[in-house]
Amino acid sequence: MKNVLRKKTAIVSMAAVVAFSSLGFGYNHITEAKNNQNEPTNVIMMVMDGTSAGATSLARWYKGENLAMDEIVIGGVRTHSAESAITDSAPAATALATGHKSNDKIVGLLPELVSTPGVEAVDPEDAFKPVANVLEGAKLQGKATGIISTSEIQHATPAGFSSHATHRSNYQDIAEQQVYQEIDVVLGGGKESLLPGEGKNSRVDGEDLTKVLDEKGYDFVETREELLQTNSDKIWGSFAPSALAYDFDRETTSNHEPTLAEMTEKAIDTLSTDEDGFFLFVEGSKVDWAAHANDPIGIISDVLAFDDAVQEALDFAKKDGNTMVIAVSDHGNSGITMGNVNTNSNYPEIPVSTYIDPLKKATMTVEGALKQLNDDRSNMKEVAELYGLDNLTETEIEALKASESLQADMSKMLSNRANIGFSTGGHTGEDVFLYAYGPSKPYGLVDNTDLAKTMASFLGFDLNKTTDKLFVNAKENFEQRGFETRIDVTDENNPVFIAEKNNIRIELPVNKNIAHVTKPNQSYTKTLDGVTVYNEKDFYVSESALNLSK
């Protein structure tokens, strides 16, 4: 497999990295992990989606003390995609998980278009070819694996660590691949994509994937209590039809949902019993959503929730001694700043309290507060107060009642009171902080693709070789062995690759890790090393599928 990125890694001064002490909270010295060569290696990869430096700074001031992440800040990460300085979450996740840049909305596949300076072009024949991710490599090593997300588990970032799709919105394919990836622990939202139904992301292929999970021996849990009580070594937690609630809103709107820290702790407790080690991916998803909405409360809420999860990971890693922890944002979002046009001339005189006190009045995010709003908006004043907008004039209340963009108008009003600035409602292209702990940890200014390679190396495998093992072109390779091949689209939602020779017939259904084999006097189903992927042009199968032709 060709490398699609040629880069140089610049090492930044640790003096610059520890400049957080200038905030007045001091800086905790990094505690180095020991590298016990006789113990299995583990990686906990944590992504706080869409979190710019301004978001973590604001959350720290709001908390009033250091974040857990501050102890392990060690560098920066470049986030550009194959075609843009500002990346979408799907190619960002692909880079972090596979070590390859990709295109907008693409999950786990090589890019078609490469226009960013410094990114090596991809052979046109390799465009949209699936490439192995770190989770798949860890699984082949015999390690336990897990993914956690506060969004739908099928959302772009967890999808990048567990699936391969031509568009991040292909929840049908992503969900099915995740079920057949044999991941040991899966926790988050997205139950809707596991079941047929009338929902936006309900399955259209008629398959009930919860039944498949039951057949595979998972304990399927749907509440915080069920999660904390289960002793199963295979857990699938679906705590909401789509995304989970913001942490600040959870107790009011969704008190059956676990926190991100609780999910992280449970996953670590479960996966760490595997004698071969484990790989765990954790995402705090909704900082990104709050940043898109320019909601400072949502941002603070879920930066702090993510930081609590980082603390859980660090507590384990420090005791274990052979666990690498990486925490990073996949890209910036919103351009959030402490300071806006209100502070152009008087910023040196403004105390921290002027920014933070208005925010402290909010008890819910704008999303959570608006869920309490009556249809006729008769309780507008009370709902605004939930979001920290107290002492509104009658004119302001009436304006909110009449607003056609109520969420945006409330966010703007609170941000203006707190002198919080936003430059956009979209992603941004700046470097993001790198937080890492443990043996062989990355440091300095690195590219996002470097992190995948660092994790793979520490876990003991090569991503390119893993790709070669998991994803070979089915048509080319079976025909080289004398088979006739075709794609059966009798069921358009479940295409099947079929290879036939003499009295041998091999059927490879899309998104699954199984093959149906028919030979003289016998028929059987074989479990493969990885899932079968269809990129709307070609089927890709694992080498283990080719071995069935013998």
Side-chain angles (χ1 to χ4, degrees):
M1 175 63 61
K2 299 177 181 176
N3 290 325
V4 300
L5 182 65
R6 190 178 297 141
K7 56 208 163 308
K8 296 180 179 179
T9 302
I11 306 302
V12 297
S13 165
M14 284 303 296
V17 174
V18 299
F20 287 101
S21 58
S22 64
L23 290 173
F25 297 131
Y27 183 82
N28 295 325
H29 293 294
I30 296 172
T31 303
E32 291 293 335
K34 60 184 181 297
N35 188 352
N36 298 325
Q37 294 294 338
N38 295 325
E39 296 180 8
T41 53
N42 312 306
V43 167
I44 303 173
M45 175 60 170
M46 312 184 76
V47 174
M48 47 180 172
D49 203 296
T51 306
S52 299
T56 48
S57 296
L58 182 63
R60 185 186 299 105
W61 285 117
Y62 183 96
K63 183 180 181 182
E65 59 184 274
N66 278 350
L67 303 176
M69 291 181 285
D70 294 342
E71 180 184 354
I72 58 169
V73 63
I74 201 163
V77 182
R78 300 170 63 192
T79 64
H80 58 276
S81 72
E83 63 187 309
S84 178
I86 302 177
T87 187
D88 172 66
S89 289
T94 298
L96 291 168
T98 74
H100 293 283
K101 299 287 188 181
S102 199
N103 291 146
D104 185 37
K105 307 299 185 289
I106 297 293
V107 176
L109 309 175
L110 291 177
E112 178 184 43
L113 171 65
V114 177
S115 58
T116 302
V119 180
E120 187 174 327
V122 172
D123 188 320
E125 293 185 358
D126 287 337
F128 304 125
K129 179 180 179 180
V131 281
N133 58 57
V134 178
L135 182 146
E136 289 168 326
K139 187 158 60 78
L140 285 180
Q141 294 289 101
K143 294 180 181 293
T145 57
I147 56 173
I148 299 172
S149 178
T150 55
S151 65
E152 303 92 331
I153 206 71
Q154 304 86 14
H155 211 256
T157 309
F161 281 82
S162 56
S163 67
H164 310 269
T166 55
H167 199 287
R168 57 180 287 179
S169 65
N170 292 351
Y171 278 22
Q172 306 284 313
D173 293 341
I174 292 166
E176 191 167 31
Q177 287 182 36
Q178 289 173 332
V179 167
Y180 282 89
Q181 284 278 28
E182 312 290 350
I183 305 168
D184 298 281
V185 177
V186 178
L187 305 174
K191 183 181 178 183
E192 185 176 77
S193 296
L194 301 175
L195 296 165
E198 302 299 323
K200 175 185 175 183
N201 291 310
S202 296
R203 302 205 63 75
V204 298
D205 60 8
E207 294 192 52
D208 182 343
L209 294 180
T210 63
K211 292 182 178 179
V212 177
L213 292 170
D214 184 61
E215 292 168 358
K216 289 180 175 292
Y218 285 90
D219 189 359
F220 190 84
V221 299
E222 298 186 68
T223 68
R224 174 182 181 271
E225 183 177 6
E226 290 175 351
L227 174 65
L228 298 182
Q229 289 181 351
T230 182
N231 293 315
S232 176
D233 59 358
K234 295 183 71 175
I235 309 169
W236 194 292
S238 278
F239 306 108
S242 53
L244 306 189
Y246 284 102
D247 197 64
F248 278 11
D249 301 336
R250 183 175 40 79
E251 290 189 8
T252 300
T253 66
S254 307
N255 62 7
H256 70 281
E257 295 176 1
T259 67
L260 184 59
E262 288 171 336
M263 290 190 286
T264 301
E265 181 181 18
K266 184 66 173 184
I268 291 171
D269 287 347
T270 303
L271 299 175
S272 60
T273 62
D274 191 299
E275 62 182 12
D276 297 308
F278 68 88
F279 171 79
L280 174 63
F281 167 79
V282 180
E283 185 196 30
S285 316
K286 293 182 70 172
V287 180
D288 180 73
W289 299 19
H292 279 299
N294 287 180
D295 173 17
I297 302 303
I299 290 172
I300 292 167
S301 162
D302 280 30
V303 167
L304 294 179
F306 179 84
D307 194 59
D308 287 342
V310 171
Q311 186 65 66
E312 292 291 342
L314 285 176
D315 287 347
F316 172 80
K318 289 177 180 180
K319 292 176 183 177
D320 174 71
N322 218 34
T323 295
M324 177 192 293
V325 177
I326 297 175
V328 70
S329 178
D330 54 345
H331 52 75
N333 193 338
S334 80
I336 183 173
T337 55
M338 294 177 69
N340 59 9
V341 293
N342 299 336
T343 65
N344 281 350
S345 59
N346 62 340
Y347 56 85
E349 307 161 6
I350 300 174
V352 172
S353 59
T354 301
Y355 300 99
I356 300 303
D357 287 355
L359 303 178
K360 288 279 191 176
K361 293 180 179 180
T363 57
M364 302 187 78
T365 72
V366 69
E367 176 185 289
L370 288 176
K371 287 182 178 179
Q372 315 306 310
L373 186 64
N374 296 336
D375 290 340
D376 62 1
R377 299 191 179 182
S378 56
N379 62 335
M380 188 72 254
K381 179 177 182 292
E382 292 77 13
V383 167
E385 288 174 348
L386 291 174
Y387 190 57
L389 295 172
D390 59 353
N391 300 318
L392 291 175
T393 66
E394 285 301 318
T395 301
E396 288 173 324
I397 293 172
E398 291 304 314
L400 289 176
K401 285 183 177 181
S403 172
E404 295 182 0
S405 304
L406 185 55
Q407 179 171 307
D409 288 343
M410 288 176 64
S411 296
K412 289 176 184 176
M413 191 176 293
L414 182 62
S415 295
N416 189 57
R417 288 186 177 192
N419 299 314
I420 302 300
F422 294 95
S423 62
T424 178
H427 294 180
T428 50
E430 75 274 21
D431 298 343
V432 295
F433 285 121
L434 170 64
Y435 306 90
Y437 173 87
S440 303
K441 64 182 177 291
Y443 61 93
L445 179 62
V446 302
D447 192 81
N448 52 9
T449 56
D450 292 326
L451 298 181
K453 297 166 188 175
T454 296
M455 290 186 286
S457 177
F458 182 62
L459 292 173
F461 61 88
D462 179 272
L463 280 165
N464 290 334
K465 291 180 180 178
T466 304
T467 294
D468 292 341
K469 184 177 179 66
L470 291 181
F471 301 112
V472 298
N473 186 294
K475 177 180 174 64
E476 291 178 1
N477 282 272
F478 274 105
E479 291 183 355
Q480 287 173 5
R481 288 163 171 75
F483 282 77
E484 293 183 358
T485 67
R486 60 189 174 89
I487 298 174
D488 184 349
V489 291
T490 303
D491 180 350
E492 63 181 5
N493 294 313
N494 290 294
V496 179
F497 181 87
I498 298 176
E500 295 176 298
K501 182 174 71 171
N502 300 327
N503 295 319
I504 301 175
R505 176 186 173 97
I506 301 172
E507 299 179 10
L508 296 158
V510 70
N511 301 324
K512 296 179 171 66
N513 67 335
I514 57 175
H516 303 299
V517 183
T518 303
K519 294 181 179 180
N521 303 318
Q522 62 174 321
S523 296
Y524 58 91
T525 298
K526 181 73 172 178
T527 300
L528 305 175
D529 288 334
V531 294
T532 294
V533 175
Y534 181 47
N535 66 3
E536 301 179 12
K537 183 183 74 169
D538 295 306
F539 266 76
Y540 287 86
V541 300
S542 67
E543 281 187 336
S544 57
L546 300 180
N547 294 333
L548 299 173
S549 65
K550 297 177 181 178

